[in-house]
Amino acid sequence: MASSSSSTVAGASGWLRGKVKAVPSGDCLVIMGNSKGDSPPPERTITLSSLIAPRLARRGGVDEPFAWDSREYLRKLCIGKEVTFKVDYTVPSIGREFGSVFLGVKNVSLLVVSEGWARVRETGQQKGEVSPVLADLLRLEEQAKQQCLGRWSKTPGASELSIRNLPPSAIGDPSNLDAMGLLNANKGRAMQGIVEQVRDGSTIRVYLLPEFQFVQVFVAGIQAPSMGRRAAVETTIETEPVSDEPNGEGSAETRPTLTSAQRLAASTASSNEVSPDPFGKEAKHFTEIRVLHREVRIVLEGVDKFGNLIGSVYYPEGESAKDLALELVESGLAKYLEWSASMMEEDAKRRLKSAELQAKKNRLRIWTNYVPPATNSKAIHDQNFTGKVVEVVSGDCIIVADDSFPFGSPSAERRVNLSSIRCPKMGNPRRDEKPAPYAREAREFLRTRLIGQQVNVSMEYSRKVGLADGPTTASADSRVMDFGSVFLVSSTKVEDDGASTLAIPTAGSQHAGVNVGELVVARGFGTVIRHRDFEERSNYYDALLAAESRAIAGRKGIHSAKDPPVMHITDLLTASAKKAKDFLPFLQRVRRMPAIVEYVLSGHRFKLLIPKETCSIAFSFSGVRCPGRDEPFSDEAIALMRRKIMQRDVEIEVETVDRTGTFLGSLWEGKTNVAVTLLEAGLAKLQTSFGSDRIPDAHLLAQAEQSAKRQKLKIWENYVEGEEVSNGSATDSKQKEVLKVVVTEILGGGRFYVQTIGDQRVASIQQQLASLNLQEAPVIGAFNPKKGDIVLAQYSEDNSWNRAMLPLVLEMPNIVTWIVNAPRGAVESSEDKFEVFYIDYGNQEIIPYNQLRPLDASVSSAPGLAQLCSLAYIKVPSLNEDFGHEAAQYFSEMALNSSKELRAMIEDKDASGGKVKGQGTGTVLIVTLIDVEAESTINAAMLKEGLATVEKRKRWDPKEKQIAFEKLEKFQAEARLNRLRMWQYGDIQSDDEDTAPPVRKAGGRR
C-alpha cells in the first residue's frame, strides 16, 4: 500500500482494504493496512474526491464555520473502522491522493454531503479530477441545502456558535498555559479530551474539552522508547496557501499549511537527526491505534520541574476503560518510571510494577535481551491441596494436614510459610530468645481462627534461606522453605478482620475463601516483603500491599504508636521439679481448669499453657501410656494427638505431679476425654497398677481399651484373648513386639536383613533421593570416598541409586588387592573399584568409582533402614558348612523371593555388637518369622525340611521358652524320622558341643 506519486489517475490500481487510523479534517482520512507482527503497517492519506470541508484554525487564526462539527462527524463515523477505498486521482504538485471510501456498502462521501458537512467541487484543474459519483454528490448537496443541514443551516447565530473560542495554546502559543493552575483545578478529576497527535508511545497531545486547551501530556509512571529527532522541517510547511481553495485548487508552488496542533508538533523538530530507539516505532503505533483522534479521559497526576503535565490516560474498549500505561508496560513497549509513578496512587504503581516484572519474565519486546539477576527463589507450579490446620507455628507459618493422606498419618502434615509476608519472630527459649513484640499476638490471632479449620492451600514458591534466616546460596548452611497462599474456607471466624474475600483465579474454582496472609497484614501483625525484581512472590501481592496500607492508615498492631502488650509466662518445663510441685495447689483449686495445648511431646505427654496462672506445664494422662519414641506406632499416636488437640482450647483436671515435674491428670477437648480417643484407636495402653479409683472416666477408658483389643487395632494387632495370663513374673506377662517386615537380604547361618513395613522413614528417604541430580559423574580428585563414608551407589541389578557405606577399601583395576584397615590414597581412575554395603537393604557388591556419588549430610545422617535379624531357637548351617547353601536357598524361596506377608515376633535382642562382614555393629533381633497366610513360622519350616536344628536347651530357660522348644522339637523329630538333608545319615547331634552333660544321680560316690 505504498503511495503513488507519479500517476494522476489511480483507477487501474483497484480497491484496497484498511482501517481508519486518523481523521485530520472533515474531508480527509489516514488509512493503514493490515499489520504483520509488531512493525507499523503502511499508511495512506486519502482526501474524499470532489469534496471541500470547512477548514480548522491555523496558527493565529480561527475556525471556518462548522469546521469542528464537520471533522467530528467524519471522525465518529470512521475512526478505527474497516473501510474499502480506491484512489480516483492524484495531484502530484501538492502530494495528495483523492479517492472514494466505503464503510461497508455505504459511500462515506455521500454520507458526509447528505448531512451537509462538506460542499461539492464540480470541476478540477485537470480532466478527470472528479469523483465517480459526482452527480449523486450534487444531488445530495442540493437536498442538504433545502433541509438546512450542517453547514447549510439557516438558524440565526448557528454559524457563529459553530466557531470555537480557542485559547492561545490551541492556536500555536503554548507559552500562556498555566500547567500548575490546570493541575490544581483538576487534580484527580477525569477530564475529557481528544488526542490530536502521538509524539511517542508515552507522550500525547490532546484537546481538553470543552475549553479546547491544547496540551502535551506525558503518560504517568512509564517511559516508552524514544522516536529520536528528525532533521529541520522544510520552510514550505510554514507557508500559508495563496488560494482560498484548500482542497488542491491552489497554486502548485505552495503546500497546505498545518493545523495548530500539527504546527506545535513540528516546532520541536531539531536540525540534528537521531534514529528512533529499538521498538520506538512499535510503541508509537501501539498508542496511535488506541487513542489517536479518539475520545479519552485524562487524570492529571502532577507537573514536572519543566512545567510538563504528567497524567494517566484511559481509552474506551467496549464497555470498559483501558489504562494506556498499563497496556504499554504489559506489552513490553514501555518501562516503569519511578519518579513519575511516585505521583500516582499506590494501587496503580503496584500494577505497573507487576506488569513490568511479568514482561521481563516473558522477555517481551524491549526486554528481549534482558538478563534477570540471580535469585534464591524458585516457583512452585500446580501444587494445590486442601486440609485442616494442625498447628500455627507463628504469624506467618502454619502446618496443614493434607486431606489426601489418611487421617492421623504422620506424613500428612505439610509446613506452609505464608507468601510475601513477615511477622515478628517467636524466639527460641532454648537460646534464651524472647518473642518479639506482637509475635504472641500474631500467633494467637491465627490460632483462634485457623486451628482445626478447613483451608485451601496454593503453593507458590520455594526459597533457600540460611540457618540465620537470611538469604544464602551455600547449600551447607541453608534450608529450603516452601511458601504459599492459604485461604480459609469458612469466613465465620474472620468477620470484621479487614481482609477481602476472594477466589483463587485458577481452573479449579474450589479454591475460594479469605486470604490468611491478607488477614494477618490487615490486622497489623505482619509486613509485606519488598521483593527484588525476579524474586518469586505471592500471586496476591497487590492485595497484600493494599491490606498493609489499610493497617498503616489505621495504626494497627505493629504500626501503632502504643507500647506492645507484655505477657510474662512462667515455663515450668525448664524449671526444677520442686518449683513445679509448688504450683500444684494453684492448679488444684478448681476441678477443671482451661488450658491451651502448646505442643504434643509424645502421644500421652503435652506442653500446656494455663492462661489463668500464666504458666506452661508438662502434662501427662493418668494411667494411660503410648509407645515411646522410635517404638512402633509412636509416630501415629503423636500425629493423632496433633490432629485432635494441638493448640486447641481444652480443660484439665490435675491429680498430682511426678518426680520429674510432670503433672498427671485427665484432659477434655469439648466433652471428649482425649485419653479415650487414644485407647479406642489402639495407640495406648491402660495402666492401673497404682489404682484406677482416682481417674475420672476410668470405666470409659477400660471400655475403650477392650474395644481396641477386640478389633486388634495397632498395638493390639497380634493380641490373642487370654495371652496375657501371668506366669509368676512381670516379664512373662509382657506382650512380645511384632513387626510387619519384608526380607531384603539373606546372609546364611539363619541371619537376614529386613525392612519394617510402614516405616515413615522409607518414604522420606526415597523422596529425598528422588530430588537429587545424579546425571553427572563425580570429578576425580574432588570426591575421594573412604572406608566408613556414607555415599550414593548405583545398584547393578536395576541401576537404582541407594545409600551405601564403604566398609572395605579400594581395589585397583584388574588387580584385586584387599587393603584392610589401611589408609587409601586418592582416586586415580573412574574404574577404581569399591565394595559397598547398602545400609537400607543389607546387601553388598563391588562397583566402579563412576557409580558413586557424594551424599548430602541431611540424607546420610538418617540411620539405615535395614535391620539385622536371626531366626530364634534354631541353628542354621553357615554357607561354608554342609547344607549351608541349601538352607540359604530354601530360606530365600520362603522369604526373599516371595510375596508372602511376613511378621517378625521379637523373642530377644543381641546387643553384643559382633561384626558382620563390613556392616559394622548393631543390635541383632532374635525373631520368630511368621508366614501369616500359612499360619506357620519359617523357623519351623527350616526344621521340618532338615535344614536346621533346635538350639540346646538350658535349665534356666523360662517356661515360655521351654514351651517354644518343645513345639520346635516336634518338627525336628519329623525331619530326623524321614532322614531329610542334614539327617540323611542318621542322628547328627552327637558332637560334644551339642551334647548335654549326663544327668547326675542323687547321692554321693558309688
Side-chain angles (χ1 to χ4, degrees), residues 808-834:
L808 300 179
V809 289
L810 189 65
E811 171 193 340
M812 300 306 294
N814 304 322
I815 304 176
V816 180
T817 306
W818 301 108
I819 309 173
V820 182
N821 294 328
R824 181 166 52 248
V827 178
E828 297 179 358
S829 167
S830 62
E831 297 301 320
D832 289 358
K833 303 294 183 180
F834 288 79

Side-chain angles (χ1 to χ4, degrees), residues 346-347 349-355 518 528 537-550:
E346 289 297 323
D347 288 346
K349 288 173 59 177
R350 286 194 294 268
R351 287 194 294 268
L352 288 178
K353 192 67 175 175
S354 298
E518 185 182 351
V528 180
R537 63 196 65 198
S538 169
N539 294 333
Y540 310 94
Y541 192 69
D542 290 347
L544 294 176
L545 289 172
E548 185 181 45
S549 298
R550 295 196 301 270

Side-chain angles (χ1 to χ4, degrees), residues 396-545:
D396 54 14
C397 180
I398 64 175
I399 295 178
V400 181
D402 193 336
D403 285 343
S404 62
F405 289 82
F407 184 87
S409 170
S411 56
E413 295 186 4
R414 298 182 63 175
R415 180 180 290 259
V416 181
N417 298 280
L418 299 182
S419 296
S420 297
I421 73 169
R422 182 179 290 116
C423 293
K425 296 181 180 179
M426 285 300 301
N428 190 335
R430 295 179 181 177
R431 297 199 296 260
D432 200 26
E433 294 177 1
K434 295 183 179 180
Y438 290 101
R440 288 185 183 274
E441 289 73 19
R443 186 177 68 172
E444 182 65 11
F445 175 78
L446 282 190
R447 186 192 73 83
T448 55
R449 288 157 176 79
L450 295 187
I451 286 297
Q453 296 296 315
Q454 189 76 15
V455 294
N456 297 322
V457 182
S458 175
M459 300 306 298
E460 291 165 335
Y461 64 92
S462 62
R463 185 167 176 244
K464 187 177 290 186
V465 299
L467 297 181
D469 295 333
T472 183
T473 57
S475 59
D477 299 319
S478 64
R479 58 193 174 100
V480 176
M481 299 173 64
D482 293 334
F483 294 81
S485 291
V486 179
F487 293 83
L488 182 58
V489 176
S490 173
S491 59
T492 55
K493 290 193 173 186
V494 295
E495 294 178 1
D496 301 325
D497 278 328
S500 58
T501 302
L502 54 117
I504 299 178
T506 59
S509 60
Q510 72 274 13
H511 296 309
V514 177
N515 188 334
V516 174
E518 185 182 351
L519 194 67
V520 173
V521 174
R523 286 298 295 266
F525 291 130
T527 57
V528 180
I529 299 172
R530 265 52 181 182
H531 295 282
R532 295 175 296 175
D533 282 352
F534 271 81
E535 275 191 343
E536 297 296 334
R537 63 196 65 198
S538 169
N539 294 333
Y540 310 94
Y541 192 69
D542 290 347
L544 294 176
L545 289 172

